[in-house]
Amino acid sequence: VAKTMKKTLLTLMIGCMMYGCSSTPTEKNPFLTEFDTPHGVPPFDALKVEYYKPAFTAGFDEQNKRIEAIINSSEEPTFDNVIAALDNSSPILDRVSGVFFNLTSAETNDDLKAIASEVLPLLTENSDNIYLNEGLFKKVDYVYQNKAKYNLTTEQTRLLDKTLRSGAKLNPTQKERLKAINIQLSSLGLQFGNNILNEDNTYKLFITKEQTAGLPSSFVESAAEDAKKEGKEGMYMVTLHNSSRLPFLQYADNRELRKELFTAYINRGNNDNDNNNKEIISEVVKLRLEKAKLLGFDSYANFVLDQNMAKDSKTVMDFLNNLWGYALPNAKKEAKELQALMDKEGKKEKLEGWDWWYYTNKLR
């Protein structure tokens, strides 16, 4: 009996560590199985905050077991049992990541941000442990060296090439440094995004009835309701969110307010406050360059582009410079037309960034 009780207690402890002890039984976590919905659409009405961390943990466990099976298999390595198996090794992680990161981009909150700060380094570490695994890389390399006999499609060849570029050939010291860089980059990327989001969410421009001139009635009604929620009844609230900022820049007659809103938007993360992104950008640039050089590239741009159609930064710059030759004359022509509209108003003002939407709409 004592042995049975110990075994039961151990099982419960392992379950808690793997899936998180919560009031919600893990068997009801929707992420742990395929979504039983039309077309596999996530059942958003059934998703709760407490499901995410256990699902990520279960996803790591599932993927690592599948990777071990690939590495330990005694079968001859083929595209199907190595590359395709690796690509399909993380159904739980794919489900929870797809929902979680789309949600944090569209409708985040403090709970989701806290989970993201925990999960992102773990995702990065999990990925590095897989793609820097020498045993796995040997099998991937075997498939690559023998790819001619597999009759691969264009898509399969692309997947094979992408899988091969892992960094598994680095020495142990270089691998540890690459892992550290990747974790730092994931953390800095999260912090950068949160800072922008904080700037978006904290900026509130309250205006009077007279200052709503030119704005559509539907926008004015919505802005009045938003101001009321903030305890500013009788005022109208404008924010940096697209649904507020863009209509305001397009329709508001008050040029100074358009300037204020436009300037606030382009300076997000550049206000020398708690949301400052300048040091983060500097650190990201340095880390990306170090990562590229570790992997044998002279710049991060060339590292990223190596697996794309352009192949290198020179090709991209040549393309952009060629495009610029056609785009710039058209932009200048549009600017001249918009300036002519401003001149008709007799204010002797020069066309600026905060005028573009407004006078484009008038020209239309």
Side-chain angles (χ1 to χ4, degrees):
V1 175
K3 286 184 178 180
T4 303
M5 289 179 66
K6 284 182 180 179
K7 187 175 180 180
T8 302
L9 181 59
L10 181 60
T11 302
L12 288 170
M13 289 172 65
I14 291 173
C16 282
M17 286 188 288
M18 286 179 59
Y19 303 114
C21 292
S22 69
S23 58
T24 306
T26 55
E27 64 266 23
K28 291 185 179 179
N29 190 323
F31 292 115
L32 301 186
T33 57
E34 289 187 20
F35 299 136
D36 186 19
T37 58
H39 310 294
V41 174
F44 286 101
D45 58 333
L47 300 181
K48 299 178 181 178
V49 172
E50 57 263 33
Y51 290 150
Y52 290 107
K53 283 172 63 176
F56 275 112
T57 304
F60 294 141
D61 183 60
E62 175 189 56
Q63 186 174 33
N64 288 325
K65 286 178 179 176
R66 293 188 177 204
I67 296 301
E68 283 299 314
I70 295 171
I71 296 170
N72 296 328
S73 173
S74 58
E75 296 179 356
E76 179 187 359
T78 66
F79 180 88
D80 287 336
N81 66 23
V82 177
I83 307 303
L86 173 59
D87 193 47
N88 294 307
S89 65
S90 54
I92 294 178
L93 271 185
D94 292 344
R95 278 193 295 272
V96 66
S97 296
V99 172
F100 181 78
F101 290 109
N102 273 289
L103 198 58
T104 53
S105 298
E107 192 182 8
T108 194
N109 55 48
D110 290 341
D111 289 334
L112 293 179
K113 282 195 274 188
I115 294 171
S117 65
E118 274 188 71
V119 164
L120 266 176
L122 296 176
L123 279 166
T124 303
E125 182 180 16
N126 182 68
S127 178
D128 283 342
N129 288 339
I130 292 171
Y131 287 98
L132 296 177
N133 186 295
E134 290 185 26
L136 180 63
F137 176 77
K138 286 178 182 177
K139 296 209 168 189
V140 172
D141 189 52
Y142 180 90
V143 175
Y144 185 81
Q145 299 302 330
N146 293 275
K147 62 181 179 180
K149 71 179 184 180
Y150 298 127
N151 230 357
L152 302 179
T153 65
T154 302
E155 292 80 9
Q156 289 172 327
T157 301
R158 165 74 173 164
L159 179 59
L160 175 58
D161 291 342
K162 187 178 178 182
T163 306
L164 186 71
R165 193 180 71 158
S166 65
K169 287 184 176 180
L170 298 175
N171 64 46
T173 302
Q174 290 173 321
K175 284 183 181 179
E176 288 307 309
R177 181 55 190 153
L178 182 59
K179 288 180 182 180
I181 289 172
N182 285 339
I183 289 176
Q184 281 181 275
L185 285 173
S186 69
S187 177
L188 289 169
L190 178 65
Q191 190 178 347
F192 182 96
N194 284 340
N195 286 346
I196 294 294
L197 188 62
N198 289 338
E199 298 270 70
D200 280 340
N201 290 338
T202 55
Y203 181 88
K204 297 176 178 66
L205 174 63
F206 294 98
I207 61 177
T208 63
K209 177 67 175 176
E210 292 73 22
Q211 292 171 325
T212 64
L215 293 167
S217 57
S218 58
F219 182 93
V220 174
E221 290 171 10
S222 177
E225 189 63 32
D226 290 340
K228 186 177 180 181
K229 291 176 183 176
E230 295 290 326
K232 299 278 188 178
E233 191 163 1
M235 301 287 285
Y236 305 82
M237 189 175 85
V238 184
T239 71
L240 295 179
H241 298 294
N242 288 348
S243 58
S244 181
R245 184 187 81 257
L246 294 178
F248 192 86
L249 290 174
Q250 188 174 4
Y251 294 106
D253 292 337
N254 191 308
R255 188 173 190 240
E256 284 305 309
L257 289 178
R258 293 202 311 270
K259 178 182 178 180
E260 181 177 338
L261 187 69
F262 179 85
T263 304
Y265 180 73
I266 64 173
N267 276 313
R268 294 174 303 161
N270 187 36
N271 295 306
D272 295 324
N273 54 18
D274 291 341
N275 299 317
N276 187 17
N277 272 333
K278 285 180 281 192
E279 290 184 11
I280 292 177
I281 292 172
S282 177
E283 188 64 21
V284 165
V285 169
K286 287 191 291 185
L287 289 170
R288 283 181 169 182
L289 180 58
E290 185 181 355
K291 176 177 179 175
K293 289 185 174 180
L294 267 177
L295 295 170
F297 294 87
D298 61 350
S299 70
Y300 188 76
N302 285 335
F303 163 67
V304 172
L305 292 166
D306 183 61
Q307 291 293 306
N308 291 282
M309 186 169 22
K311 287 298 179 186
D312 56 51
S313 56
K314 182 183 182 305
T315 304
V316 172
M317 291 309 299
D318 288 345
F319 172 79
L320 290 176
N321 285 328
N322 180 56
L323 184 63
W324 184 245
Y326 296 98
L328 184 58
N330 279 316
K332 287 182 175 180
K333 180 184 176 184
E334 288 182 31
K336 188 177 288 187
E337 291 176 330
L338 300 181
Q339 185 65 61
L341 275 180
M342 294 182 72
D343 293 343
K344 283 183 181 179
E345 296 178 352
K347 297 178 182 177
K348 297 182 179 180
E349 296 168 335
K350 182 184 175 183
L351 180 71
E352 300 287 356
W354 48 88
D355 298 315
W356 201 276
W357 284 272
Y358 181 73
Y359 284 100
T360 296
N361 186 57
K362 284 201 167 198
L363 182 64
R364 186 184 298 115

